[in-house]
Amino acid sequence: MRHTGTFGRFGGFYVAEPLIPALEELESAWIEARDDPEFAGALAGLLRDYAGRPTPLYRSPALSEELGCAVYLKREDLLHGGAHKTNNTLGQGLLAARMGKTRLIAETGAGQHGVATAMIGARLGLDVKIFMGSLDVARQAPNVQRMKLFGAEVIPIDNGSGSLKDAINEAMRYWTEHIRDTFYVFGTAAGPHPYPSIVRDFQRVIGEEIHAQLHAAHGRGPTAVIACVGGGSNAIGAFARFIDEDTALIGVEPGGHGVDTGKHGATLGAGRAGCLHGSISYVLQDAHGQIHEAHSISAGLDYPGVGPEHAHLMASGRAEYISATDDEALDAFAWLSRREGILPALESSHAIAGARRIADRFGPDDVVVINLSGRGDKDLAHAMAALDAREAAR
Amino acid sequence: MRSADNRITAAVRARNAAGQGAFVPFLVIGDPDFETSLVLAKALVQAGADALELGFAFSDPPADGPVIQRADERALAAGITPPRAFDLIEALQKTHAIPVSLLVYYNLVLQFGVDAFYARAAAAGVDAVLVADLPPEHAADAVRAAKRHGVAPVFLASELSPPARLERIAALAEGYVYALARVGVTGEQRAIDPNLAAALERMRAATDLPLLAGFGIGGPAQALAARRAGADGVIVGSAIVRRVADHLDDRPAMIEAVRATAAALADAAHAPIEPKQKSPMPSGAVPC
Ligand SMILES: Cc1ncc(COP(=O)(O)O)c(C=O)c1O
């Protein structure tokens, strides 16, 4: 390996020996592709013509009123596929093709990363297998249908909590068994090096566009950027451009039933440093190091780990991580729909809810950008049932 | 050479000196419960084990196939923890002086405290520790602690590990080298990997330590084949652990099935084989 992939005391590549040559091959391919104008050109072309970049930066009157300052939404919900995940899968898909791999595998929680992987697999003519926890298969049915239409095989995983962490374990096992012809398209900025860096680099376009668009529209950069954090890919993509600037970076983790109830996914807020899925980062775990199951109403945030760069940004004080509960996210889901006619993903609803929670921090001179990481169509059945149940309980 | 002091190294060398291979069966400590797994460990010793490889159950074991995953789940459900697992090894050592190697995942070591983990392992009578998800690049702390407490740090080597990597592994490893008999996760296979012999030759060029082949050895036939491919001994996990799963509602039958499976494997591992012919390099194999 040419780099250790560490962020402060976090990161690294903690995997069994058979995966090391595959990670080395991936690291070399990525380092070469990064500097290859042909690769950059092919990716930029796909992002523009196939996926619809740049996505708009939209000034939201409702949120501006709510927070008492200028609030913009970065509209990743309008990206082809319905979420930011496409930025990463187009990049990794092109990398896989360049490496001569014939099969793509991926884990998925909300199904957005699975859809985005199936999409590029269809576009490049590669075989695709998606590992998805059986709980998530049930709560994200429309995305399962989309993956199948795109030609992917969806493999439901019953192990453990039947959610994202179990899907990652199974994808890692499958990769270990089929290392020679298979490319693992990792969906978030976590996992072993080089994934956290690769995913950040492919998602960085979000923050680059925010910077350019906000300067054009408002003549300045943001005072704060707010994003939801599952594994951390949309957040690191939105943050990366601003890490060396004077912008507040605020991640919103899933508070589930409440961080003090133990039923949540607030890994940075309530976890401890540990080793999960190939890197050192914060982990929800018991005293002995057994991994806890996370809980969130949102499948895409239901993960007991988090990307190592976020762990470092928190430990170094550069970024701040707050949480929003299931209830607050549901409120935000309904509120943004009602006030703006924009249906946010339940994941992204956490970012909205987090921003509303800290509204009193902002003054009229502030310019806040919230990354609307995805659209909520996939969540309709699940969210409506939760809203109805809440109504009935009142 | 320090590694010669290690009880596992000595046990393997003693077998090899007699033209035999070593037999190292695997169990998950606490599967299906603490007391039964202690009885099972003793049954393995009686069946002819030269050393035991004992696993610490982990909630998320990505290097393990379904048989060992289920064993981890059973052990955790029955309340096993790393401190209790060390207690079991200590109890075993009181009655059976058998060399023990641990198989763990790194988070369990980290949460115990790296130095404290190796100190406790040494005190419990552990001879070697393999951390499945700890490659040599990140192993400095663990190797330092292992050496300080006289525990052999063990590493995996695979047929995909190029010679320079094997050198790096050999520079840190003590006790033995865990030679992966397949590229994949744990689980019984019908045939051993055809590339194993060439891989073992490359490993042999990098280290004087014994090479124990493990992952996928499904029964006596594969144990013999691994020996013929050049392994100094075999490590067998899923084939043993499956007998636990097969007899969860009948403890005597479980213990007997584990013992009988281990005895047949021990016979195969211990069978003297013709010294390996120096065969011409098969085409496609990477020269060492
Ligand atoms: C719309 C949306 N936002 C956010 C996430 C969370 O992932 P990450 O933290 O990697 O951005 C997901 C994951 O599925 C998602 O679908």
Side-chain angles (χ1 to χ4, degrees), chain A residues 104-109 111 113-119 127-133 137 143 147-148 151-157 167 171 185:
Chain A
L104 303 180
I105 59 168
E107 83 292 346
T108 196
H113 176 60
V115 165
T117 303
M119 205 156 82
D127 185 38
V128 177
K129 286 190 168 32
I130 304 293
F131 297 86
M132 187 170 189
V137 169
N143 275 344
M147 286 182 255
K148 289 182 177 165
E153 183 190 351
V154 179
I155 302 166
I157 306 303
V185 184

Side-chain angles (χ1 to χ4, degrees), chain B residues 191-256:
Chain B
I192 66 155
D193 193 317
N195 300 323
L196 181 60
L200 288 168
E201 264 185 62
R202 285 196 296 280
M203 294 174 199
R204 190 77 73 195
T207 181
D208 294 332
L209 292 173
L211 305 177
L212 299 184
F215 275 41
I217 295 182
Q222 294 83 42
L224 257 181
R227 287 273 289 125
R228 291 217 174 87
D232 298 315
V234 293
I235 300 172
V236 184
S238 298
I240 308 253
V241 171
R242 186 158 59 80
R243 269 58 184 197
V244 176
D246 282 350
H247 300 282
L248 284 173
D249 43 17
D250 185 345
R251 293 294 139 98
M254 175 192 294
I255 294 157
E256 175 49 24

Side-chain angles (χ1 to χ4, degrees), chain B:
Chain B
M1 194 202 264
R2 260 209 68 131
S3 54
D5 308 335
N6 191 280
R7 287 196 298 173
I8 298 190
T9 316
V12 180
R13 294 228 197 276
R15 284 289 175 194
N16 293 165
Q20 303 178 318
F23 173 51
V24 183
F26 169 90
L27 281 179
V28 173
I29 298 178
D31 170 35
D33 57 60
F34 187 92
E35 297 303 331
T36 310
S37 82
L38 182 56
V39 175
L40 292 172
K42 293 175 180 175
L44 292 176
V45 178
Q46 277 144 17
D50 298 297
L52 298 180
E53 177 157 273
L54 297 176
F56 275 26
F58 183 49
S59 54
D60 293 77
D64 285 299
V67 171
I68 293 178
Q69 288 171 45
R70 295 294 96 76
D72 283 1
E73 286 167 13
R74 287 192 297 271
L76 290 171
I80 198 68
T81 60
R84 287 290 285 154
F86 282 127
D87 291 345
L88 184 140
I89 296 167
E90 209 159 47
L92 175 68
Q93 295 294 341
K94 288 208 174 103
T95 53
H96 297 66
I98 181 92
V100 167
S101 181
L102 293 190
L103 179 76
V104 294
Y105 285 90
Y106 195 43
N107 199 42
L108 300 183
V109 179
L110 275 179
Q111 303 310 322
F112 203 100
V114 176
D115 194 72
F117 187 91
Y118 286 90
R120 178 70 186 104
V126 168
D127 299 272
V129 174
L130 166 63
V131 186
D133 54 351
L134 188 65
E137 287 87 341
H138 290 304
D141 289 352
V143 168
R144 198 177 311 117
K147 294 191 176 182
R148 180 180 307 136
H149 298 290
V151 174
V154 173
F155 290 89
L156 297 169
S158 117
E159 65 176 75
L160 299 178
S161 317
R165 226 185 136 69
L166 293 175
E167 299 286 345
R168 177 169 205 160
I169 290 167
L172 294 178
E174 290 181 10
Y176 63 96
V177 168
Y178 196 126
L180 288 166
R182 64 184 306 257
V183 178
V185 299
T186 57
E188 299 154 79
Q189 303 293 312
R190 253 172 263 130
I192 66 155
D193 193 317
N195 300 323
L196 181 60
L200 288 168
E201 264 185 62
R202 285 196 296 280
M203 294 174 199
R204 190 77 73 195
T207 181
D208 294 332
L209 292 173
L211 305 177
L212 299 184
F215 275 41
I217 295 182
Q222 294 83 42
L224 257 181
R227 287 273 289 125
R228 291 217 174 87
D232 298 315
V234 293
I235 300 172
V236 184
S238 298
I240 308 253
V241 171
R242 186 158 59 80
R243 269 58 184 197
V244 176
D246 282 350
H247 300 282
L248 284 173
D249 43 17
D250 185 345
R251 293 294 139 98
M254 175 192 294
I255 294 157
E256 175 49 24
V258 165
R259 193 206 56 76
T261 302
L265 283 159
D267 283 348
H270 294 158
I273 56 169
E274 296 299 305
K276 204 178 155 233
Q277 306 281 333
K278 263 282 167 216
S279 55
M281 191 70 73
S283 64
V286 184
C288 25

